[in-house]
């Protein structure tokens, strides 16, 4: 066997194959093999060099020698009879078969989650212990798996060599570029076997499958709330810390999640990329368009298990459930008033600051909520979109129509706990209760007189001014 740089005075024939390999391993000199082997098995064209290139070439040389010594070592003799995938060892095939059978023999003692491979269970257990043994030597960030660390290291070392030919966006990994290309082609190769929804990436399909099983493996240590995906839990944790890492460059508003900032930016540029094909209404978010489409089909997939009322959005159902449970998780720090919805608390807080950000362009009247402004505008336009099917009477707001319908049915669902008197509207019951409690929450700023109703205070205020709204006809 001829090897450049090896002492040629020693005849190669005096050594067996094992002796030659041992000789190569013991020297560990900086030889680099070209990987070209002659018909007789001799190594040719080995040159001297140094560094990482020498190490890689040395490994290539020794592994190639082992393949020559054991010609069948790299062959895959064990073939799966279901998908025809081949493996080098029988134990690899045995583990692979569990994918088809659904067998998951390795179970987590903490959360009972099961795995096909012991190694996957071992990695999973780190999510409970918090162990992250693989640490980046540049930024000290820690990871649960060596593959995650390897991918992370490319942030420090790589120049994002993989570029998209369509939008010029660059990626560290070729697989990321490959997945990104689907956003241009519209192709979604992965399909859910339950609802047939399609996805670009396997991790998104995996997370989606949890919506069918109901499993929420990621749990908040503070409030015990559970989530389908780890990144959702990560964003949720910021609500406890109060940290908001993403800031809008226009209005300086801050967000806990980058996706929320991105959607917010559309409000500044006026872009609404998601358009309804039926009524041409446009939305900044695709999920809002999806919910809107249900108004055309009449479908209300989210049902209340108490009263069977249906909703187009899961969020609406969640808020509705609180009317049954009485839960009011959002509390005002100023007056301790409780609210069932975060947006209701947000609007309420403006009553303490006196801020009315939504202004009418006709009369300059200000409102705390955009919905109130929208309804107010109907007093200028005369629009009454909500019509009674019985007497054809029309109303500015749906709630007024709803209350009005009770006059036809005779129903008075709101009952006084003291005198059993019934009312069609909850507001009327609230005002009535003050006759029992003697509460007078509305105070005159001029004479300090108290009133049980706002309209009574309003009428009283006219006694302090020269204004006389009801002018008698001239005789």
């Amino acid at each position: 066997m001829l090897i450049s740089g090896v002492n040629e005075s020693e005849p190669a024939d005096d050594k067996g194959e094992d002796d030659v390999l041992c000789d190569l391993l013991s020297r560990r000199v900086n030889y680099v093999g070209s990987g070209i082997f002659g018909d007789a098995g001799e190594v040719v064209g080995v040159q001297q060099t140094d560094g990482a290139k020498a190490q890689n070439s040395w490994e290539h040389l020794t592994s190639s020698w082992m393949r020559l010594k054991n010609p069948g070592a790299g062959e895959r003799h064990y073939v799966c009879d279901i998908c025809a995938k081949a493996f080098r060892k029988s134990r690899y095939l045995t583990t692979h078969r569990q994918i088809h059978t659904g067998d998951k023999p390795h179970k987590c003692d903490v959360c009972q989650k099961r795995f096909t491979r012991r190694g996957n269970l071992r990695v999973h257990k780190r999510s409970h212990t918090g162990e992250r043994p693989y640490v980046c030597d540049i930024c000290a960030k820690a990871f649960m798996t060596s593959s995650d660390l390897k991918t992370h290291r490319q942030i420090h070392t790589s120049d994002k060599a993989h570029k998209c030919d369509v939008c010029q966006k660059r990626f560290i990994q070729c697989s990321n570029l490959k997945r990104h290309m689907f956003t241009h082609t519209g192709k979604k190769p992965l399909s859910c076997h339950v609802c047939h929804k399609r996805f670009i990436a396997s991790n998104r399909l995996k997370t989606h499958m949890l919506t069918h099983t109901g499993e929420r493996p990621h749990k908040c240590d503070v409030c015990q709330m559970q989530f389908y995906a780890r990144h959702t839990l990560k964003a949720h944790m910021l609500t406890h810390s109060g940290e908001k890492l993403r800031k809008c460059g226009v209005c300086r508003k801050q967000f806990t999640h980058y996706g929320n900032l991105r959607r917010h930016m559309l409000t500044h540029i006026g872009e609404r990329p998601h358009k309804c094909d039926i009524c041409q209404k446009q939305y900044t978010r695709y999920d809002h368009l999806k919910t809107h489409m249900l108004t055309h089909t009449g479908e209300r997939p989210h049902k209340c298990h108490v009263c069977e009322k249906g909703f187009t959005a899961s969020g609406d159902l969640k808020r509705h459930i609180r009317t049954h449970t009485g839960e009011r998780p959002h509390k005002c720090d100023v007056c301790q008033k409780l609210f069932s919805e975060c947006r209701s608390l947000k609007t309420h807080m403006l009553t303490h600051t006196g801020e009315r950000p939504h202004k009418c362009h006709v009369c300059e009247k200000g409102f705390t909520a955009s919905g109130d402004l929208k309804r107010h505008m109907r007093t200028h336009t005369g629009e009454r979109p909500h019509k009674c099917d019985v007497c054809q009477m029309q109303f500015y707001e749906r709630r007024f129509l709803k209350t009005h319908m009770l006059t036809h049915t005779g129903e008075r669902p709101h009952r006084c706990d003291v005198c059993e008197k019934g009312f069609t509207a909850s507001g009327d019951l609230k005002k009535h209760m003050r006759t029992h409690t003697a509460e007078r929450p509305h105070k005159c700023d001029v004479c300090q007189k108290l009133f049980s109703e706002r309209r009574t205070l309003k009428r009283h205020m006219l006694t302090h001014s020269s204004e006389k709204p009801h002018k008698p006809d001239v005789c």
Side-chain angles (χ1 to χ4, degrees):
M1 180 172 296
L2 301 176
I3 303 176
S4 303
V6 178
N7 191 351
E8 295 181 6
S9 63
E10 298 178 15
D13 294 335
D14 292 343
K15 296 184 179 182
E17 289 181 344
D18 289 337
D19 294 328
V20 173
L21 181 60
C22 286
D23 185 45
L24 288 171
L25 294 173
S26 64
R27 292 173 186 236
R28 294 296 290 172
V29 291
N30 290 328
Y31 289 115
V32 174
S34 65
I36 302 172
F37 292 80
D39 294 334
E42 73 274 13
V43 183
V44 296
V46 179
Q47 303 295 328
Q48 279 190 319
T49 185
D50 56 6
K53 184 178 177 184
Q55 180 64 28
N56 292 338
S57 298
W58 179 266
E59 289 172 0
H60 179 72
L61 173 64
T62 53
S63 64
S64 298
W65 174 264
M66 291 303 294
R67 284 199 300 273
L68 280 174
K69 188 180 176 186
N70 301 294
E75 294 182 19
R76 296 169 180 254
H77 297 291
Y78 303 95
V79 181
C80 174
D81 52 1
I82 298 173
C83 66
K85 191 171 182 179
F87 299 88
R88 285 188 294 108
K89 296 184 180 180
S90 61
R91 62 190 175 93
Y92 294 161
L93 174 59
T94 303
T95 301
H96 164 79
R97 277 199 179 120
Q98 292 169 350
I99 296 171
H100 299 300
T101 62
D103 184 25
K104 296 187 177 187
H106 307 287
K107 188 171 83 169
C108 174
D109 298 330
V110 180
C111 66
Q112 314 308 312
K113 191 172 181 180
R114 306 187 75 94
F115 299 87
T116 53
R117 299 175 65 178
R118 190 188 302 277
N120 292 346
L121 171 60
R122 192 167 57 244
V123 171
H124 165 77
K125 280 184 173 177
R126 291 172 186 158
S127 66
H128 296 300
T129 63
E131 183 189 1
R132 291 173 177 264
Y134 302 96
V135 181
C136 174
D137 51 4
I138 298 172
C139 66
K141 191 172 182 180
F143 299 88
M144 286 196 297
T145 65
S146 59
S147 60
D148 288 343
L149 173 59
K150 191 175 179 181
T151 301
H152 164 78
R153 273 197 180 127
Q154 293 174 340
I155 296 171
H156 300 298
T157 60
S158 178
D159 59 349
K160 295 190 176 183
H162 305 283
K163 188 172 88 171
C164 172
D165 296 330
V166 180
C167 66
Q168 312 309 311
K169 191 172 182 180
R170 304 186 77 93
F171 298 89
I172 291 172
Q173 294 180 292
C174 179
S175 59
N176 291 343
L177 171 60
K178 207 170 181 180
R179 191 161 54 241
H180 164 77
M181 291 306 293
F182 291 134
T183 63
H184 295 300
T185 62
K187 187 180 177 184
K188 295 186 177 184
L190 305 171
S191 175
C192 170
H193 69 275
V194 179
C195 65
H196 306 295
K197 188 175 181 180
R198 304 193 72 84
F199 297 88
I200 290 173
S202 59
N203 62 330
R204 291 182 184 176
L205 172 59
K206 195 174 180 180
T207 301
H208 165 79
M209 290 305 295
L210 298 176
T211 64
H212 294 300
T213 62
E215 185 184 358
R216 292 172 177 257
H218 306 283
K219 188 175 181 180
C220 173
D221 296 330
V222 180
C223 65
Q224 313 309 311
M225 196 170 178
Q226 293 175 296
F227 300 88
Y228 296 122
R230 187 187 299 278
H231 71 269
T232 313
L233 169 60
K234 206 171 179 180
H236 164 78
M237 290 304 292
L238 296 174
T239 63
H240 294 299
S241 65
E243 189 178 3
K244 294 189 176 183
L245 304 175
R246 318 286 180 178
K247 185 184 282 187
C248 172
V250 180
C251 66
R252 315 310 293 169
K253 189 174 182 180
Q254 293 178 310
F255 299 87
T256 54
H257 200 275
Y258 175 70
N260 294 340
L261 170 60
R262 195 171 58 214
R263 284 192 291 267
H264 165 77
M265 290 304 294
L266 297 175
T267 63
H268 291 300
I269 62 178
E271 186 183 349
R272 291 174 175 261
H274 306 286
K275 188 177 180 180
C276 173
D277 296 330
I278 300 172
C279 66
Q280 313 309 311
K281 196 169 183 181
Q282 292 175 296
Y283 297 87
T284 54
R285 292 172 55 170
Y286 175 70
D287 58 326
H288 289 173
L289 170 60
K290 204 171 177 183
T291 300
H292 163 78
M293 291 304 292
L294 298 175
T295 63
H296 294 299
T297 62
E299 187 183 355
R300 291 175 176 264
H302 305 282
K303 298 284 182 183
C304 172
H305 66 278
V306 180
C307 64
E308 294 298 319
K309 189 174 181 180
F311 298 87
T312 53
S314 59
D316 293 337
L317 171 59
K318 193 175 180 180
R319 286 187 288 270
H320 165 78
I321 289 289
R322 290 173 183 157
T323 63
H324 296 299
T325 62
E327 183 189 5
R328 292 172 175 263
H330 307 284
K331 186 178 180 180
C332 173
D333 296 330
V334 180
C335 65
Q336 314 309 310
K337 192 173 181 180
L338 300 173
F339 297 87
S340 58
E341 298 181 43
C342 178
R343 62 180 176 181
S344 301
L345 170 60
K346 214 170 181 180
T347 301
H348 164 78
M349 290 304 293
L350 298 175
T351 62
H352 294 299
T353 62
E355 186 184 355
R356 292 175 177 264
H358 306 281
K359 297 285 182 184
C360 171
H361 68 275
V362 179
C363 65
E364 293 299 318
K365 188 174 181 180
F367 298 87
T368 53
S370 60
D372 292 339
L373 172 59
K374 191 176 179 180
R375 287 186 285 271
H376 164 78
M377 289 305 295
R378 291 171 184 159
T379 63
H380 295 299
T381 62
E383 183 190 3
R384 291 173 177 256
H386 305 286
K387 189 177 180 180
C388 173
D389 295 331
V390 180
C391 65
Q392 313 308 311
M393 195 171 178
Q394 292 176 298
F395 300 88
Y396 294 122
E397 298 182 41
R398 186 188 299 276
R399 62 186 176 127
F400 294 150
L401 171 60
K402 207 171 179 181
T403 302
H404 164 78
M405 291 303 292
L406 298 175
T407 63
H408 294 299
T409 62
E411 186 183 356
R412 291 175 177 265
H414 305 283
R415 293 278 169 187
C416 173
D417 295 332
V418 180
C419 64
E420 294 297 321
K421 189 174 181 179
F423 298 87
T424 54
S426 60
D428 293 338
L429 171 59
K430 194 175 180 181
K431 288 193 280 272
H432 165 78
M433 289 304 293
R434 290 172 186 156
T435 63
H436 296 297
T437 62
E439 182 189 2
R440 293 171 178 265
H442 305 285
K443 186 178 180 181
C444 173
D445 296 330
V446 180
C447 66
Q448 314 307 311
K449 193 172 181 180
L450 299 172
F451 300 89
S452 60
E453 295 184 40
R454 187 188 298 275
R455 62 180 177 179
T456 314
L457 169 61
K458 210 169 180 181
R459 192 162 56 241
H460 163 79
M461 291 302 292
L462 298 175
T463 63
H464 295 297
S465 68
S466 57
E467 186 181 352
K468 292 184 178 181
H470 305 291
K471 190 176 181 180
D473 296 332
V474 178
C475 296

